[in-house]
Amino acid sequence: MDIAELAERVSSGDRRALARAITLVESSRADHRAQATELLERLKHTGRQALRIGLSGTPGVGKSTFIESFGMMLTGQGLKVAVLAVDPSSTRSGGSILGDKTRMDRLSRDPDAFIRPSPSQSHLGGVARRTREAVALCEAAGFEVVLIETVGVGQSETMVAEMADLFVLLLAPAGGDELQGVKRGIMEIADLILVNKADGDLKPAAMRTCADYAGALRLLRKRPQDPEGFPKAMTVSALEEDGLATAWDEMTALTDWRRETGHFAARRADQARFWFEEEVRQGLLARLATGPARAEMERLGADVAEGLATPAGAAADMLGHLGLDLATEVEKGAQGT
Ligand code: GDP
């Protein structure tokens, strides 16, 4: 199938074509990369826009239970829902957190849902870049809500926040002083904190935890992209499907406000710029990692290790080898140009 036809099928909502397109963007083969780029260029013109929701939480807080309940609720409202994952551990296990489809058994059988495991790539940056493109493909295929799941390990949240319109942090009821357990950086990117498992014996603890986080959120610096009352903390029970409709109402209210005030479009524009720069950075790094440049790096690295050259001197040689002048680059960098 040529790329024009694949693009046509993806935009008509053909799920097999979508799966195939995602496989293409995940491939690191040079010819595949060129095709993937062409495919994304072609699909850009569909102009479709999903609500992209980043969802993070440590293992065991109930992410898959939540995604299943929440996803089923949305498809029940007639929405088409895609679920993708950025899984930093996939590099270690070679598998993925969503590899086991039984985690979202009902949702994976729902004709209005599409679940895709995390790509296995050698580093988080690669996983994130390809997931971002998979999000764009799902959007072009007509999915109206795209959930991007990640396990909370710091770096991956930042990557997911760079591709999501909303960032939701899922927490479990805590015993006492566990507030510090959530890194400040993650609190700062959260739009909505959901304290899950607010049911049965855990309900009082969930309500306390929620109050603690609501207090902590009020102490954060006010962000221009938030209307009054956001970011917000609330309790849910993914298991009993309680609070999910309210959570969705909050998400849509926030999104509507951001659309009206231009923050939604501005964020997407910033993100597009971020990924463009990231792609260029990674391209330059890749150039250093292979071929003659790699050999030159090895050779100069050995000289530095043996004390035959200074790190700065060898770096200047290396950049010279790439046609760049270190002194000029450093000066430009310092001036921010
Ligand atoms: P994940 O690792 O974040 O994907 O978490 P899972 O969705 O696999 O859930 C971990 C455990 O928490 C499972 O035993 C779930 O049944 C349980 N769990 C998830 N959501 C809830 C909830 O709302 N209430 C209660 N009581 N348990 C839940």
Side-chain angles (χ1 to χ4, degrees):
M1 193 190 307
D2 69 3
I3 297 304
E5 190 183 344
L6 185 59
E8 193 56 47
R9 289 205 193 166
V10 169
S11 65
S12 73
D14 178 336
R15 307 162 60 94
R16 282 180 52 199
L18 174 60
R20 201 166 149 181
I22 296 179
T23 303
L24 186 64
V25 302
E26 287 172 359
S27 170
S28 48
R29 259 176 53 182
D31 57 333
H32 286 170
R33 192 88 288 269
Q35 290 179 325
T37 304
E38 186 195 335
L39 179 67
L40 290 160
E41 290 282 343
R42 283 181 180 275
L43 288 169
K44 193 160 66 75
H45 309 293
T46 60
R48 292 186 181 133
Q49 208 174 57
L51 179 61
R52 307 168 173 179
I53 304 172
L55 181 77
S56 174
T58 48
V61 301
K63 288 182 300 303
S64 33
T65 311
F66 176 83
I67 292 172
E68 170 139 295
S69 302
F70 190 68
M72 295 295 293
M73 179 189 79
L74 296 180
T75 59
Q77 294 180 13
L79 292 165
K80 292 181 73 188
V81 178
V83 182
L84 304 169
V86 174
D87 175 11
S89 68
S90 65
T91 50
R92 261 176 286 126
S93 63
S96 93
I97 42 172
L98 287 176
D100 181 8
K101 283 250 178 107
T102 56
R103 279 180 78 231
M104 296 171 202
D105 190 36
R106 282 186 303 148
L107 193 63
S108 66
R109 283 186 278 112
D110 188 323
D112 287 325
F114 178 86
I115 301 181
R116 178 78 180 192
S118 177
S120 46
Q121 292 248 344
S122 55
H123 61 105
L124 174 62
V127 172
R129 281 185 293 144
R130 304 293 82 96
T131 303
R132 198 244 172 196
E133 291 174 343
V135 170
L137 292 172
C138 291
E139 212 161 48
F143 286 89
E144 292 148 308
V145 179
V146 181
L147 290 164
I148 312 150
E149 176 189 10
T150 189
V151 171
V153 292
Q155 259 264 291
S156 62
E157 278 90 351
T158 318
M159 288 291 193
V160 168
E162 282 292 348
M163 63 181 95
D165 302 313
L166 290 179
F167 191 81
V168 177
L169 180 61
L170 206 60
L171 297 173
D177 54 354
E178 286 177 47
L179 192 63
Q180 298 91 320
V182 174
K183 292 190 195 71
R184 190 186 164 86
I186 296 172
M187 290 277 287
E188 281 170 350
I189 56 174
D191 295 302
L192 198 60
I193 288 181
L194 299 178
V195 182
N196 190 32
K197 309 193 183 185
D199 50 48
D201 293 347
L202 289 169
K203 191 159 188 173
M207 292 180 69
R208 267 198 313 277
T209 302
C210 182
D212 287 347
Y213 278 95
L217 286 174
R218 276 193 293 273
L219 296 178
L220 291 179
R221 189 161 34 92
K222 174 119 181 71
R223 309 178 303 182
Q225 71 270 31
D226 293 326
E228 201 50 45
F230 282 92
K232 192 171 278 191
M234 51 183 291
T235 57
V236 294
S237 166
L239 204 62
E240 297 190 350
E241 301 176 15
D242 191 26
L244 303 184
T246 315
W248 175 239
D249 287 345
E250 297 289 1
M251 291 180 210
T252 44
L254 178 58
T255 305
D256 289 347
W257 186 86
R258 286 186 181 165
R259 279 190 201 279
E260 283 157 23
T261 53
H263 288 290
F264 188 95
R267 178 165 174 159
R268 287 231 171 168
D270 284 346
Q271 290 174 338
R273 206 188 307 274
F274 171 87
W275 290 103
F276 153 67
E277 292 195 3
E278 179 69 8
E279 209 61 58
V280 173
R281 267 193 298 273
Q282 295 304 326
L284 288 175
L285 289 176
R287 181 153 168 223
L288 287 180
T290 52
R294 182 68 228 161
E296 192 64 9
M297 284 283 269
E298 297 283 351
R299 193 182 67 74
L300 289 166
D303 284 356
V304 171
E306 286 172 35
L308 299 173
T310 62
D317 283 353
M318 184 64 216
L319 289 170
H321 180 80
L322 295 171
L324 303 168
D325 170 10
L326 178 63
T328 319
E329 299 308 318
V330 169
E331 188 184 349
K332 280 194 225 151
Q335 290 167 352
T337 51

